[in-house]
Amino acid sequence: MTTPRDHLWRPYTQMKNAAPPLEAVRTHGTRIVLADGRELVDGIASWWTAAHGYNHPHIRAAVAAQLEAMPHVMFGGLTHAPAEGLAARLAAVLPGDLDHVFFSDSGSVAVEVALKMAAQMWLNRGVTGRTRFLAFRGGYHGDTLGAMSVCDPDEGMHRRFGAYLPTQIFCDLPTSAERSAALDSCLARHRETLAAVIVEPLVQGAGGMRMHPPEVLAEVARVAQAHGLPLIADEIFTGFGRTGTLFACEQAGIVPDILCLSKALTGGTMALAATVATRAVFDAFRSDDPAAALMHGPTFMANPLACAAANASLDLFEGEPRLAQGRAIGERLEAGLAPLRGRPGLAGVRVLGAIGAVQWTEVPDLAAVKRRLVERGVWVRPFGDIVYLTPALTIDEPDLDRLIEAVVTVVCDATPA
Ligand SMILES: *Cc1c(COP(=O)(O)O)cnc(C)c1O
């Protein structure tokens, strides 16, 4: 007998024996309501998208109004106020002259577009042979082929696809600003074949919540520039207040040549992504040659509903103290997770902005850990060797404390001292 569920193929899931998913029927604030009436405090804001909590009335109203006027229209040859306004606002809040916005519909595609921009920029300048990218071990940039090729080649979820992927150059992130010699010599060796360097600023997210100080990011930017290579900053995870500033690059005082956004761009309401280029990158595409144009154009590019949601999300970042809220979450995470520091069986406890991560040395039975977290009324999804919290920036103290308490208790139970 089949059930409706048998027709779904689920993300990163072994369909033969995975625990059945929980059915969600409603969301509000920082809560997910299940079909059986249980209500879970969401510790990860639906993969870090719901920055203002779920169903924010201001975003809902903006999307509803747009739905009345024009849910979608193609972007080739047409334009509309929601996209124009959003592009201008993103240009205004992003550092430096990151002023030229290309919209798409997912983070992976935003990365694909960034890689294509960098590669075609060289071709448009008459330089051939720059067909590869330098990426960092531990990184994650998405699940499409080009994005997969710049993810960690060994630890990522994509090892099996090695033979299908373009071969890139990988390097370790420098451990400090003074230790950039390996990166420097790697770039010196390969620079004639490289189109760009790609990095996740301050935090390698899906690769394991590994953090590096702003000085290291600044050094990566400096070394890339010294070798004449554009820098792509993948802020899909870090953008919109997650690390304590609106964008992680601000903390290092750098302006990347290309920057990718998605995840929290619409406040978690719907799919939208952006690849933003500096004036110099954009200018490399302005030409009398039609073939020099950027050759990309997703069907649902700049979807008006999604742009309306993103504009409303930016209103909230402007009008409400999100960055301060994020930093307060960080302080509470720091204090709340402190009892786990130094505990045997754990490799570390890391906090940056509104991100808290606990890493195991020996990974316990994650299915059991996930079950226990749900039993304690929280929605937290450990993966690899870590369990982490990235709640909505609007979470209140009781809900945050419940998340922290659940993680501390469950980690202690799973990691006997
Ligand atoms: C999630 C993520 C992506 C991929 O975004 P999708 O919308 O899932 O395609 C790329 N880069 C980073 C840093 C991410 O966190």
Side-chain angles (χ1 to χ4, degrees):
M1 207 179 68
T2 61
T3 69
R5 194 163 285 162
D6 292 333
H7 299 287
L8 279 175
W9 203 332
R10 303 188 49 76
Y12 311 114
T13 301
Q14 176 43 262
M15 297 304 293
K16 183 174 178 188
N17 54 17
L22 304 174
E23 185 179 346
V25 289
R26 242 164 5 94
T27 51
H28 63 95
T30 47
R31 304 293 185 90
I32 300 170
V33 183
L34 301 181
D36 61 11
R38 280 180 295 170
E39 194 163 305
L40 303 179
V41 177
D42 187 352
I44 53 181
S46 278
W47 277 331
W48 334 311
T49 59
H52 317 284
Y54 293 111
N55 306 29
H56 196 287
H58 181 65
I59 301 181
R60 254 178 22 213
V63 173
Q66 186 59 43
L67 186 61
E68 292 293 318
M70 181 171 66
H72 185 65
V73 68
M74 67 182 283
F75 210 55
L78 295 171
T79 188
H80 48 76
E84 302 227 334
L86 179 59
R89 290 175 79 179
L90 289 174
V93 292
L94 283 166
D97 63 345
L98 284 161
D99 286 346
H100 302 276
V101 183
F102 188 95
F103 288 115
S104 57
D105 33 29
S106 80
S108 299
V109 175
V111 169
E112 297 289 339
V113 171
L115 301 176
K116 282 173 74 172
M117 269 181 191
Q120 196 181 338
M121 181 194 79
W122 290 107
L123 294 175
N124 285 357
R125 289 178 179 165
V127 181
T128 55
R130 289 179 172 268
T131 56
R132 297 195 294 182
F133 295 87
L134 183 127
F136 293 100
R137 289 200 187 86
Y140 174 80
H141 298 286
D143 292 349
T144 52
L145 283 165
M148 279 203 285
S149 78
V150 286
C151 292
D152 187 289
D154 303 318
E155 288 176 35
M157 299 167 274
H158 307 133
R159 204 172 0 173
R160 293 211 143 192
F161 288 96
Y164 295 87
L165 302 179
T167 315
Q168 313 294 15
I169 305 296
F170 290 93
C171 190
D172 289 323
L173 266 169
T175 51
S176 71
E178 294 73 39
R179 300 222 172 112
S180 62
L183 173 63
D184 188 58
S185 64
C186 185
L187 288 184
R189 201 157 55 244
H190 295 290
R191 78 168 156 203
E192 301 304 325
T193 70
L194 288 172
V197 173
I198 183 165
V199 68
E200 287 165 275
L202 301 188
V203 194
Q204 295 181 309
M209 300 295 164
R210 295 179 234 212
M211 298 156 184
H212 56 267
E215 297 77 39
V216 166
L217 177 60
E219 181 65 7
V220 167
R222 189 194 66 75
V223 176
Q225 189 174 37
H227 290 283
L229 286 167
L231 182 67
I232 301 170
D234 179 351
E235 290 236 24
I236 292 168
F237 171 57
T238 53
F240 301 104
R242 186 50 65 186
T243 66
T245 44
L246 196 55
F247 302 103
C249 284
E250 294 169 34
Q251 292 181 46
I254 64 161
V255 181
D257 301 274
I258 300 172
L259 183 142
C260 302
L261 296 171
S262 188
K263 293 267 163 58
L265 176 56
T266 65
T269 322
M270 56 188 82
L272 184 68
T275 308
V276 190
T278 57
R279 165 46 64 104
V281 173
F282 183 72
D283 278 348
F285 290 78
R286 285 160 59 96
S287 159
D288 294 324
D289 176 6
L294 179 62
M295 288 301 166
H296 209 95
T299 304
F300 281 93
M301 180 168 184
N303 171 253
L305 287 175
C307 290
N311 275 312
S313 176
L314 284 181
D315 293 342
L316 296 173
F317 276 106
E318 274 168 23
E320 298 187 4
R322 286 293 174 274
L323 299 183
Q325 286 171 310
R327 288 190 282 259
I329 290 171
E331 282 163 27
R332 224 166 169 85
L333 286 171
E334 188 72 59
L337 296 175
L340 296 177
R341 286 195 188 278
R343 192 180 170 88
L346 296 182
V349 175
R350 301 190 282 273
V351 176
L352 172 67
I355 309 162
V358 179
Q359 186 179 8
W360 279 289
T361 43
E362 223 154 285
V363 184
D365 175 358
L366 285 191
V369 169
K370 287 178 189 171
R371 226 172 24 244
R372 277 187 217 117
L373 287 161
V374 170
E375 282 162 14
R376 301 190 78 84
V378 301
W379 183 241
V380 178
R381 300 285 288 169
F383 69 92
D385 56 358
I386 66 156
V387 54
Y388 71 98
L389 292 173
T390 52
L393 303 177
T394 50
I395 194 167
D396 62 20
E397 289 182 352
D399 270 9
L400 181 55
D401 289 346
R402 193 150 140 208
L403 289 171
I404 293 169
E405 200 185 294
V407 166
V408 170
T409 306
V410 171
V411 166
C412 286
D413 288 351
T415 321

